[in-house]
Amino acid sequence: MKLYVVKDKATMGKKAADVIAAEMQTTPHFVLGLATGSTPETCYAELAKKNKAGKISFENVITFNLDEYAGLPVKHPESYRSFMDAKLFKHVNIPMSATHLPNGNAPDLDAMCEEYEMMMDKVGGVDVQVLGIGRNGHIGFNEPGSSLASRTRKVKLTKSTKEANGPYFKAPDKMPDYAITMGIGTILEAKKIILMACGDTKVDAIAAALEGPVSVTCPASALQLHPDVTWVVTKDAATGLKMEWPEQD
Ligand code: PGA
């Protein structure tokens, strides 16, 4: 486990992008697991900058996103496909056909979930999985109580997640109640994981994830079971940690 405590969200994004870029440069046919939410925005902007500067190429990269709302039109501004197009895919040289998100509108969602896992397996699994963390410790849409062995599936969103994400919707009551998410077991199969967290709303989640027991009450605590997790956390999100951490630039 590596922990970087950094001063702000911009520095967090730079640090995370450096870690991802280093892996991209040394891994042919790189498979990148992606997350949405406000946390990874600065990281994606940095990756786009590196791509523009010719330091990294997405030409042979394949991506799989963690999650997507169920029943929300793909073109809806709050769909995770729209988010990824706007924040990353449109700004880098990735072929759109190499970008994957769960299809929340598939007629048979169980079959779609199974196929999503098979597609990841077929390309050799995820090399680096990017994660944010919910205020309640969720990763992807694996809410507290999710099995640590869970796989890609349809889930019901909790009140806490609806409160956190509702304001992004023009009509918050129109936010879907369900989503498709990679499971915790799926996420743990990535070769490397990088989790970013920023802001004081994440203090309890970060403390529980890093220093609490491995428990379904904090899904991110399952990352303690993974041999290669890098945590990039702003100092205002790290104030609940008991361990000592040197602050990085
Ligand atoms: P946020 O969400 O980046 O918008 O805080 C993170 C998450 O819920 O995983």
Side-chain angles (χ1 to χ4, degrees), residues 100-144:
H100 305 89
L101 284 92
N103 176 3
N105 294 296
D108 182 343
L109 288 174
D110 289 344
M112 184 280 301
C113 291
E114 232 172 86
E115 202 188 320
Y116 200 66
E117 295 248 350
M118 269 160 40
M119 282 195 293
M120 284 189 275
D121 277 353
K122 217 169 143 188
V123 294
V126 170
D127 290 303
V128 174
Q129 176 65 55
V130 174
L131 294 178
I133 184 169
R135 298 168 197 190
N136 60 5
H138 75 200
I139 47 176
F141 274 131
N142 295 286
E143 304 287 16

Side-chain angles (χ1 to χ4, degrees), residues 93-222:
N93 65 332
I94 194 161
M96 280 298 168
S97 58
T99 66
H100 305 89
L101 284 92
N103 176 3
N105 294 296
D108 182 343
L109 288 174
D110 289 344
M112 184 280 301
C113 291
E114 232 172 86
E115 202 188 320
Y116 200 66
E117 295 248 350
M118 269 160 40
M119 282 195 293
M120 284 189 275
D121 277 353
K122 217 169 143 188
V123 294
V126 170
D127 290 303
V128 174
Q129 176 65 55
V130 174
L131 294 178
I133 184 169
R135 298 168 197 190
N136 60 5
H138 75 200
I139 47 176
F141 274 131
N142 295 286
E143 304 287 16
S146 299
S147 160
L148 303 187
S150 51
R151 310 301 306 184
T152 303
R153 68 204 186 287
K154 178 181 172 184
V155 291
K156 187 165 170 51
L157 302 178
T158 58
K159 192 165 164 265
S160 151
T161 296
K162 290 200 77 176
E163 279 166 9
N165 292 8
Y168 293 114
F169 284 75
K170 269 202 191 112
D173 58 323
K174 291 284 185 301
M175 182 181 162
D177 290 322
Y178 291 90
I180 310 300
T181 184
M182 282 188 204
I184 299 173
T186 319
I187 292 169
L188 290 176
E189 281 172 10
K191 294 173 193 103
K192 185 180 185 75
I193 294 174
I194 178 156
L195 185 144
M196 285 174 269
C198 58
D200 58 11
T201 57
K202 303 293 170 70
V203 168
D204 293 343
I206 284 295
L210 273 159
E211 292 180 337
V214 174
S215 158
V216 296
T217 58
C218 177
S221 66

Side-chain angles (χ1 to χ4, degrees), residues 26-38:
T26 53
T27 314
H29 308 293
F30 188 68
V31 182
L32 179 59
L34 293 167
T36 50
S38 63

Side-chain angles (χ1 to χ4, degrees), residues 53-76:
K55 291 184 182 148
I56 52 172
S57 172
F58 283 79
E59 208 181 337
N60 294 313
V61 171
I62 300 175
T63 67
F64 288 93
N65 264 77
L66 278 175
D67 46 16
E68 178 58 283
Y69 290 113
L72 194 66
V74 178
K75 296 267 180 234
H76 190 284

